[in-house]
Amino acid sequence: MGLTSETTVYVMAALAAVCVALLVWWWPRFARQGLLQVLGRLVALGTTQVVIVAAFACWLNSSYQFFGSWGELFGHVETAPVGVTQAGNYGGTAGAGTVDGVAVKGALVQPATDEQLRRVSGLPTGPAAVNGRVESVKVIGRRTGVVDPAFVYLPPQYFQKAYQRQRFPVIVALSGYPGSIFNLAQYLRVSQTAGALQKSGQMQPTIMVMIRPTIAPPRDTECVDVPGGPQTETFLAKDLPDALKSAYRVGHDASAWGVMGYSSGGSCALQLTMRDPHVYTTAAALSPDYKVKDDPTTGNLFGNGPERTERINGHDLMWRLKHLPVPAVSVLVAESKHGERGYPQTQAFIRAVKAPMRVASIEPEHGSHNFPTWVQEMPPALKWMNQQLTFPQDVVPRHHKKGTVVADPPKPGHDPLRADGPEPTPTTRTRR
């Protein structure tokens, strides 16, 4: 039985009911005086409570997909096969992990099971050239050896002949901890919201990549290269872009790359943009933190020795703004004025930003640290990101296929798919 299967939930619920029934049935025997009876009561109560909590945890995990398998739950994660090398740039005209429909051995983006994807509502159906498509894949880190699941939304234009050589901007969406790509697709509605905005012309056609920063579950590695441990920043800032460029027609310039996330995923989005501006030039962070700290879920993220303080400071965004040159990037932060604890810190961050960095904010009057709040913030956040990202002018290499005529690349300075969205809503303000 899979960890997220309904069968597991039903079995655990039935087991909990049996434990409760047995406790009621045997309680008169345990009510007698004596050491064995006292121990019996303790064991019976403890076992029943553990089973009830386990049943509830299984239901919660099945609903939100925090851990996708028993292996993930107990820290046994999949690793990349030995000898995996980066796939050649074939222009990304075929599906992930394929070249002209043929599977590529050693590709950095490979097809994955669609078990979670089938449970997501509102995904595009029908012809991909009309409605777009969401693919379930696994991304293999060439440097880190990480294997991480992802959903990739491809807009309808990606499949249309008129744009078969055109590259597209890309936004990487990161889940919080211990969230999953299922949460991004089902509860944050990343691909559904982006698809609707693109269809209405409020957002340029953009590839959306939904991935989790938790590369070594159940440990929360934040967005840090842990000394002697998981290399999360390297995976997200180097392995992931390289893998996507090898499999899809995404822009190669950083101006076409953005990253967003909620909770710790939003913190990671800010970290990546400010620490790796040559990779991501735009970030949208919903309810983020501005400093990475050790806690029971992270363990020791920064190692020991004389370099520990330097590593800690490097992941403290307020420290970076005060002591280091600011990068020429654009960031958006979202925090509710009432209902979220991070509003004072968000205001301090906004005040600390200086040129050439730019900051915008979404500040609802009321909200909480939950999906209903983040879903409301998603459309303005995506439209703002659309205004920052440039549509790539580079095209994939010309393929000479028998009987096929390939369109000429766009003229310089012309964005064939650019759709400027409306001005930011009154709740969004920009500080330069």
Side-chain angles (χ1 to χ4, degrees):
M1 296 182 296
L3 178 60
T4 61
S5 69
E6 292 184 354
T7 301
T8 301
V9 176
Y10 293 146
V11 168
M12 291 302 300
L15 186 59
V18 169
C19 286
V20 171
L22 290 176
L23 178 64
V24 174
W25 180 261
W26 285 339
W27 190 256
R29 301 182 183 181
F30 296 144
R32 301 170 185 171
Q33 299 295 324
L35 179 61
L36 292 179
Q37 286 74 14
V38 172
L39 291 176
R41 289 197 294 270
L42 292 175
V43 170
L45 287 172
T47 301
T48 302
Q49 290 178 350
V50 167
V51 173
I52 291 175
V53 170
F56 177 77
C58 283
W59 169 80
L60 192 65
N61 185 72
S62 179
S63 299
Y64 290 93
Q65 304 282 308
F66 298 125
F67 301 101
S69 66
W70 294 104
E72 286 187 9
L73 179 64
F74 294 108
H76 305 299
V77 297
E78 183 182 6
T79 57
V82 176
V84 170
T85 56
Q86 183 174 356
N89 188 349
Y90 298 97
T93 55
T98 64
V99 177
D100 294 336
V102 180
V104 179
K105 184 178 180 180
L108 298 182
V109 178
Q110 299 181 3
T113 175
D114 62 350
E115 178 183 351
Q116 291 190 82
L117 197 60
R118 290 198 303 267
R119 300 180 59 183
V120 178
S121 61
L123 296 181
T125 58
V130 177
N131 301 315
R133 185 171 72 197
V134 178
E135 298 181 341
S136 178
V137 301
K138 57 182 179 181
V139 178
I140 301 175
R142 180 167 59 87
R143 299 170 183 81
T144 60
V146 169
V147 179
D148 210 19
F151 294 152
V152 179
Y153 166 77
L154 302 171
Q157 290 83 355
Y158 190 88
F159 304 96
Q160 296 172 6
K161 291 184 178 180
Y163 308 107
Q164 60 184 352
R165 294 184 60 217
Q166 180 67 54
R167 298 189 187 277
F168 291 80
V170 57
I171 294 177
V172 175
L174 302 174
S175 65
Y177 176 83
S180 66
I181 56 176
F182 178 81
N183 290 350
L184 290 166
Q186 175 66 14
Y187 298 109
L188 197 59
R189 316 294 286 177
V190 170
S191 58
Q192 299 90 322
T193 304
L197 291 174
Q198 293 175 33
K199 187 175 182 180
S200 64
Q202 299 181 71
M203 182 179 176
Q204 62 188 335
T206 302
I207 294 175
M208 305 294 298
V209 180
M210 292 159 273
I211 198 164
R212 61 182 185 182
T214 308
I215 64 172
R219 185 180 183 182
D220 179 14
T221 54
E222 293 289 332
C223 213
V224 176
D225 280 349
V226 181
Q231 304 293 289
T232 309
E233 183 175 9
T234 295
F235 174 75
L236 294 173
K238 295 181 179 180
D239 285 348
L240 177 61
D242 283 354
L244 295 174
K245 291 173 183 177
S246 75
Y248 296 102
R249 301 197 312 275
V250 296
H252 284 194
D253 190 84
S255 63
W257 283 72
V259 58
M260 70 179 308
Y262 65 90
S263 192
S264 62
S267 307
C268 188
L270 291 177
Q271 295 273 342
L272 287 171
T273 305
M274 294 181 64
R275 290 175 56 87
D276 302 279
H278 58 287
V279 180
Y280 302 99
T281 58
T282 302
L286 313 181
S287 305
D289 290 321
Y290 302 95
K291 181 178 181 179
V292 177
K293 301 178 182 179
D294 289 342
D295 63 37
T297 66
T298 66
N300 186 349
L301 291 175
F302 304 105
N304 301 308
E307 296 181 353
R308 175 177 170 83
T309 300
E310 181 181 352
R311 296 191 186 104
I312 293 175
N313 289 337
H315 287 276
D316 183 339
L317 301 186
M318 296 298 292
W319 185 92
R320 295 183 69 89
L321 289 172
K322 183 177 180 180
H323 295 93
L324 299 178
V326 297
V329 297
S330 299
V331 300
L332 178 144
V333 289
E335 195 86 28
S336 301
K337 296 179 180 179
H338 303 95
E340 293 192 82
R341 295 180 298 175
Y343 186 71
Q345 291 78 15
T346 294
Q347 291 300 299
F349 176 81
I350 293 172
R351 290 192 297 268
V353 170
K354 52 191 175 183
M357 184 174 172
R358 296 181 297 174
V359 61
S361 64
I362 300 175
E363 304 170 21
E365 284 294 328
H366 299 278
S368 299
H369 198 82
N370 56 28
F371 284 109
T373 298
W374 299 326
V375 166
Q376 290 181 328
E377 296 166 345
M378 272 292 291
L382 286 175
K383 287 189 284 187
W384 175 87
M385 295 188 77
N386 165 77
Q387 295 170 353
Q388 316 309 313
L389 298 177
T390 61
F391 203 91
Q393 294 301 307
D394 54 329
V395 294
V396 298
R398 181 182 296 272
H399 293 281
H400 297 283
K401 296 181 181 180
K402 185 176 181 180
T404 301
V405 178
V406 181
D408 290 330
K411 296 179 180 180
H414 174 60
D415 286 354
L417 304 181
R418 180 74 185 187
D420 292 325
E423 293 298 319
T425 62
T427 57
T428 304
R429 59 193 180 98
T430 304
R431 179 186 177 93
R432 297 179 184 269

